[in-house]
Amino acid sequence: MSIVMINGGSRENGNTNLLSARAVHGLEVDIIQLDEYNISPIVDERHAEGGFSEVADDFMQVMDRVMEYDKIIFATPIYWYTMTGTMKQFIDRWSQAMREDRYHDLRERMARKKGYVIAVGGDSPYIKGLPLLQQFKYIFDFVHLPFEGYVLGQANKPGEIEQDKKALYSADLLNQTLKEDT
Amino acid sequence: MSIVMINGGSRENGNTNLLSARAVHGLEVDIIQLDEYNISPIVDERHAEGGFSEVADDFMQVMDRVMEYDKIIFATPIYWYTMTGTMKQFIDRWSQAMREDRYHDLRERMARKKGYVIAVGGDSPYIKGLPLLQQFKYIFDFVHLPFEGYVLGQANKPGEIEQDKKALYSADLLNQTLKEDT
Amino acid sequence: MSIVMINGGSRENGNTNLLSARAVHGLEVDIIQLDEYNISPIVDERHAEGGFSEVADDFMQVMDRVMEYDKIIFATPIYWYTMTGTMKQFIDRWSQAMREDRYHDLRERMARKKGYVIAVGGDSPYIKGLPLLQQFKYIFDFVHLPFEGYVLGQANKPGEIEQDKKALYSADLLNQTLKEDT
Amino acid sequence: MSIVMINGGSRENGNTNLLSARAVHGLEVDIIQLDEYNISPIVDERHAEGGFSEVADDFMQVMDRVMEYDKIIFATPIYWYTMTGTMKQFIDRWSQAMREDRYHDLRERMARKKGYVIAVGGDSPYIKGLPLLQQFKYIFDFVHLPFEGYVLGQANKPGEIEQDKKALYSADLLNQTLKEDT
């Protein structure tokens, strides 16, 4: 099965990247570094006459790319106890995607994929990161994407994730799962 | 006491705006419509040599304006079970603000203010919006801003918030609290 | 529609009782004060040969009584951030009830009822009581009981609930809903 | 450092017991199987004249025993998305203990201990068990007991916990931590 990883962080070689790299080590993965794309905030026109206006940015291109894969990994540093604003801007635009003709069957397609979350935070992520996981569950449920698992990690300074054995092991387990399911 | 409302929505006359307007009816309030400003995503340079680079956008101007007030109301539609990406981008940048000289005492100043949240969602916000409230609690705690209360509302179509009596009453109660505390 | 209220508290005229009384004012309600019954802790024999042993206590009698009604209100003080042990002991026994012949259709029957929660706590229930609400949602979902609404209240000393206007209003709203639905 | 484990389950050789045994393998631990004791539900007399009545059961004996140790592990099956009623009844009584003369310094004593949680559930514990963890955090915070970590596990049928590699590894890590800290 093919894999895409959507990375919401902004720090090269950040802890989230290190942990994510471990989770997909030895696998072919299309990594989308969201901050390299121009993705505008959603303008909510769900109830506007004529619906959503077309937006001249990279969103649809990124979304199309994501939808090509069987497994979607959302990798995000935990900023202020939830996903980064960059990742949130991307997800917000799904409201628009779901109203596009080419995504009339988004849920049917998502239902056949598998979703994963990798999230690394510095301030007690094993407790204060739990609402984020609950939100990802709601998000996945809404689009019918099965929530197949998550990896939490605790780290602040560069490289610190290497101290979090539980996170490393969870990433290794995810790696194994992804490999067995290929 | 002076009041600022930070609005994270994108829809003019959206339900969040209607409910928020009710909460501050008859009060002098500085309303900051975040999507009217150019606020870049944070680039995490907390651990970079030289620290954060200066960013040529409107963030500091907006942040300075927020900090002038005694009460801060965060008003956001609930998109995908949490605050809008636009509001998140703004809050993400606090990590940078906290490292600026002029905000060396941000927590001391926040501790003397009062924080409120108004959040309106379409998909079971009274249950699925609860993780968002928990996150705001963590956010406020981190900067020492007292969490004085919140108003949840359920609405989807334009104007629908008028059907949510509990939300309207909570907004009225908040209005009363804000007035008595002036 | 007929109404039963399951009260998990232990204090006569406690704040939970006051708020609950308000929610059902003027309605015919069967109030089950759980601590007046002898309900043993569950012994998990789901996987035992022969299944659950019969227990000589009041559980089945109480459960049968609950199931006669169309609306079920769970009213509990928040002790240590969740429902009282007394209410939890009662709900734990549902695992046994669901394996009884007479409850082979428990979910079908629950699906036609409506469930409500009233919970009053002394330590920041509007934030620290939220996990309890999420758990009730999971509990209701498991037995297919629609979660029709909740009332949170903040109170510590006897009678203090009268100061929580939001709770009182929510109880009044619930009262109105229950009446209109009769 | 000395260790006590409070077990809230009811099934001999249940999955929670198996996982807990692994976490304390090779360590001297005082295991308190709560269902072997007679612990009455709390009667809330915090505001009664004369305070709490003395209760002729095993609670104080169990509580005294718990307080002798440096590390407290709460091990509970997840019944209906939270701790068992049996464990909840025990914790509810803390409200009474905190008003006893001999526990006037309960918080100071707890602050010098370390607290852990082991919880095993059958219905999506990695998501639906998260509110339970948040509650334990609140409980620990209230008595000033540092929350040093938790182990979640997924299992239903007897012995099934052996399939949950993440749980086993987390238990092993906890075991190592406990040993290094002895």
Side-chain angles (χ1 to χ4, degrees), chain D residues 72-91:
Chain D
I72 310 177
I73 302 172
F74 295 81
T76 182
I78 305 180
Y79 288 169
W80 296 95
Y81 312 105
T82 187
M83 69 181 79
T84 63
T86 299
M87 182 167 277
K88 188 68 205 323
Q89 295 282 39
F90 173 66
I91 290 179

Side-chain angles (χ1 to χ4, degrees), chain C residues 160-179:
Chain C
E160 208 176 58
I161 193 67
E162 303 293 344
Q163 316 294 318
D164 183 347
K165 287 183 192 172
K166 197 167 171 174
L168 300 182
Y169 183 80
S170 297
D172 290 346
L173 265 187
L174 176 52
N175 184 261
Q176 202 179 313
T177 304
L178 293 170
K179 278 179 176 156

Side-chain angles (χ1 to χ4, degrees), chain D residues 2 48 56 63 92 102 145 176:
Chain D
S2 58
M63 190 71 191
D92 281 359
R102 81 230 249 190
L145 175 64
Q176 201 179 313

Side-chain angles (χ1 to χ4, degrees), chain C residues 93-140:
Chain C
R93 290 288 295 284
W94 290 10
S95 300
Q96 182 165 2
M98 291 182 79
R99 275 161 188 81
E100 298 282 331
D101 283 347
R102 80 229 249 193
Y103 284 126
H104 72 276
D105 61 347
L106 182 104
R107 282 175 162 152
E108 288 79 356
R109 291 172 64 187
M110 282 290 197
R112 293 191 299 267
K113 301 181 190 297
K114 295 182 175 179
Y116 303 87
V117 172
I118 299 174
V120 179
D123 181 17
S124 307
Y126 286 102
I127 288 292
K128 298 184 183 173
L130 304 186
L132 168 60
L133 297 177
Q134 295 174 318
Q135 288 166 340
F136 265 117
K137 178 70 168 88
Y138 291 139
I139 291 170
F140 285 20

Side-chain angles (χ1 to χ4, degrees), chain D residues 148-178:
Chain D
E148 293 291 317
Y150 60 80
V151 178
L152 277 182
Q154 173 151 7
N156 222 317
K157 291 182 199 146
E160 209 176 57
I161 192 66
E162 303 293 344
Q163 316 295 318
D164 183 347
K165 289 183 191 172
K166 196 167 173 175
L168 299 182
Y169 183 80
S170 297
D172 290 346
L173 265 188
L174 175 53
N175 185 262
Q176 201 179 313
T177 304
L178 293 170

Side-chain angles (χ1 to χ4, degrees), chain B residues 5-158:
Chain B
M5 175 143 58
I6 304 170
N7 197 319
S10 69
R11 204 166 68 191
E12 260 185 278
N13 303 316
N15 284 299
T16 307
N17 287 13
L18 291 173
L19 191 62
S20 302
R22 190 159 175 148
V24 298
H25 182 75
L27 286 157
E28 201 178 326
V29 180
D30 183 4
I31 297 180
I32 298 178
Q33 188 69 29
L34 281 178
D35 65 354
E36 293 174 359
Y37 297 88
N38 173 27
I39 296 178
S40 303
I42 194 162
V43 178
D44 182 1
E45 299 174 314
R46 285 174 300 157
H47 305 284
E49 247 182 278
F52 281 97
S53 313
E54 217 181 299
V55 183
D57 67 356
D58 300 332
F59 172 71
M60 272 302 171
Q61 166 203 336
V62 173
M63 191 70 190
D64 288 352
R65 193 165 138 202
V66 167
M67 293 302 289
E68 286 169 23
Y69 296 91
D70 300 318
K71 300 186 177 175
I72 309 177
I73 302 172
F74 295 82
T76 182
I78 304 180
Y79 288 169
W80 295 94
Y81 312 106
T82 185
M83 68 181 80
T84 63
T86 299
M87 182 168 277
K88 188 69 205 323
Q89 295 282 39
F90 173 66
I91 290 178
D92 281 359
R93 290 287 295 283
W94 290 10
S95 300
Q96 183 165 2
M98 291 181 80
R99 275 160 187 83
E100 298 281 332
D101 282 347
R102 80 229 251 190
Y103 284 127
H104 72 276
D105 61 347
L106 182 106
R107 282 175 163 152
E108 288 78 356
R109 291 171 64 187
M110 282 289 197
R112 294 191 297 267
K113 302 181 190 297
K114 295 182 174 178
Y116 304 86
V117 172
I118 298 174
V120 179
D123 181 17
S124 307
Y126 286 102
I127 288 293
K128 299 184 183 174
L130 303 186
L132 168 61
L133 297 176
Q134 296 174 318
Q135 288 166 340
F136 265 117
K137 178 70 168 87
Y138 291 140
I139 291 170
F140 285 19
D141 280 355
F142 191 83
V143 295
H144 297 186
L145 175 63
F147 195 157
E148 293 291 317
Y150 60 79
V151 178
L152 277 181
Q154 174 151 7
N156 224 317
K157 291 183 199 146

Side-chain angles (χ1 to χ4, degrees), chain C residues 54-126:
Chain C
E54 218 182 299
V55 183
D57 66 357
D58 301 331
F59 171 72
M60 271 302 170
Q61 166 204 337
V62 173
M63 191 70 190
D64 289 351
R65 193 165 138 203
V66 167
M67 293 301 289
E68 286 169 24
Y69 297 91
D70 300 318
K71 299 185 179 176
I72 309 177
I73 302 172
F74 295 82
T76 182
I78 304 179
Y79 288 169
W80 296 93
Y81 312 106
T82 185
M83 69 182 80
T84 64
T86 299
M87 182 167 277
K88 187 70 206 322
Q89 295 282 39
F90 173 67
I91 290 178
D92 281 358
R93 290 288 295 284
W94 290 10
S95 300
Q96 182 165 2
M98 291 182 79
R99 275 161 188 81
E100 298 282 331
D101 283 347
R102 80 229 249 193
Y103 284 126
H104 72 276
D105 61 347
L106 182 104
R107 282 175 162 152
E108 288 79 356
R109 291 172 64 187
M110 282 290 197
R112 293 191 299 267
K113 301 181 190 297
K114 295 182 175 179
Y116 303 87
V117 172
I118 299 174
V120 179
D123 181 17
S124 307
Y126 286 102

